[in-house]
Amino acid sequence: LYERQGEITMFRAHTRDNPYLDREFVASLESSYTGAFARQELEGEFVTFEGLVYEDFSRATHVQERAGPWRRVVAGMDEGYTNPAVILVVGEDGDGRLHVIEEFYRRRVLQGDVVGEAMRLRDAHGVSLFACDPSAAGLIAEMASVGLPVTAADNSVLPGIQAVKARLVTQGDGRPRLTVSPTCANLLAELESYVWKEGRAGVRDEPEKVNDHACDALRYAIMGAGTGVPLFAWEHDAIGWQDD
């Protein structure tokens, strides 16, 4: 449609113009979607995603030490050998805010060693679920065989990116809903360098698959299993509707 828009007549409608949508639901979307993604999803515009994927990320705002207590702790995992294997441990506090507590990020590590590291992180932080790269069937099977709580993660890229972006937005109290420990150096580096790829006709609608392994693990931790049920209740207003 974008490429043929000069040949057709288009009728645009905003999400808020739909009389059958509850006003509170629309308001929840408008408060969760940001930037070009909001213009695409809520205003019906053709947009191009320029530059950084997580343009709202700021070390001054999002990097800090936090000690809990945590209402729930989960982990996101991205498989790798030549590329790094990544595990991110994410805690949820009583206010529903998330904090990346610790990262494991290492190249040329055997699958058995990754499983051993997952066991260490489970014991150290009380991880209740590992959301793993869904293509890593062998890793998931080995983790399950030693009693680790593991599931194939939801790998929906754009909804996952938007879920992360929505949590980076500063709320009314001046705080974001996602922070990262300063010890997670590789995740921080990726968040500051993850960019959109230029596709057909100059449209940028997917990220570059370069230095994205920690970013993928973060998406897995937030999105959880591919069941349409988010790991964290706050996500439902923002993205749960997309599975309906």
Side-chain angles (χ1 to χ4, degrees):
L1 291 178
Y2 172 79
E3 294 174 350
R4 298 185 60 192
Q5 59 184 312
E7 309 167 25
I8 60 179
T9 300
M10 291 184 291
F11 299 89
R12 300 181 187 273
H14 298 173
T15 298
R16 73 178 73 92
D17 297 331
N18 185 340
Y20 299 100
L21 292 181
D22 182 84
R23 295 299 94 188
E24 290 185 2
F25 174 71
V26 174
S28 74
L29 297 181
E30 291 177 336
S31 67
S32 300
Y33 285 5
T34 61
F37 198 87
R39 288 167 42 218
Q40 173 181 277
E41 297 297 310
L42 303 179
E43 309 295 334
E45 295 183 21
F46 290 118
V47 301
T48 180
F49 298 96
E50 301 286 353
L52 289 173
V53 174
Y54 296 122
E55 73 278 4
D56 291 327
F57 174 76
S58 163
R59 288 193 181 232
T61 301
H62 299 100
V63 179
Q64 57 184 260
E65 282 289 9
R66 296 187 60 196
W70 310 115
R71 179 167 62 188
R72 185 180 188 189
V73 179
V74 303
M77 298 184 64
D78 193 47
E79 184 182 42
Y81 180 75
T82 302
N83 291 320
V86 182
I87 308 175
L88 296 182
V89 179
V90 180
E92 179 189 29
D93 68 15
D95 192 35
R97 298 176 195 264
L98 306 185
H99 181 68
V100 184
I101 303 168
E102 184 177 345
E103 72 171 14
F104 169 81
Y105 189 104
R106 192 176 302 167
R107 288 179 170 83
R108 300 190 180 281
V109 59
L110 298 176
Q111 181 170 287
D113 295 328
V114 174
V115 174
E117 184 65 19
M119 295 177 71
R120 182 191 72 80
L121 292 171
R122 177 200 59 186
D123 295 341
H125 300 288
V127 176
S128 62
L129 183 67
F130 291 86
C132 187
D133 178 355
S135 67
L139 175 60
I140 292 171
E142 185 169 346
M143 291 178 66
S145 72
V146 296
L148 287 169
V150 62
T151 185
D154 184 340
N155 194 24
S156 305
V157 177
L158 286 180
I161 286 174
Q162 183 54 34
V164 176
K165 286 169 70 72
R167 283 191 167 272
L168 292 174
V169 174
T170 301
Q171 304 300 299
D173 60 2
R175 300 163 55 206
R177 299 191 69 85
L178 173 65
T179 53
V180 181
S181 167
T183 64
C184 299
N186 295 285
L187 173 60
L188 295 176
E190 288 192 11
L191 288 170
E192 293 176 324
S193 60
Y194 195 37
V195 297
W196 295 104
K197 177 172 66 176
E198 186 168 322
R200 291 189 308 165
V203 175
R204 301 184 183 210
D205 57 2
E206 62 178 323
E208 291 277 7
K209 287 297 295 175
V210 178
N211 297 325
D212 61 348
H213 309 288
C215 286
D216 285 351
L218 182 60
R219 283 195 294 108
Y220 298 154
I222 291 178
M223 293 290 282
T227 61
V229 180
L231 279 178
F232 301 103
W234 180 83
E235 306 299 347
H236 186 271
D237 286 343
I239 61 173
W241 65 276
Q242 298 192 46
D243 294 307
D244 292 340

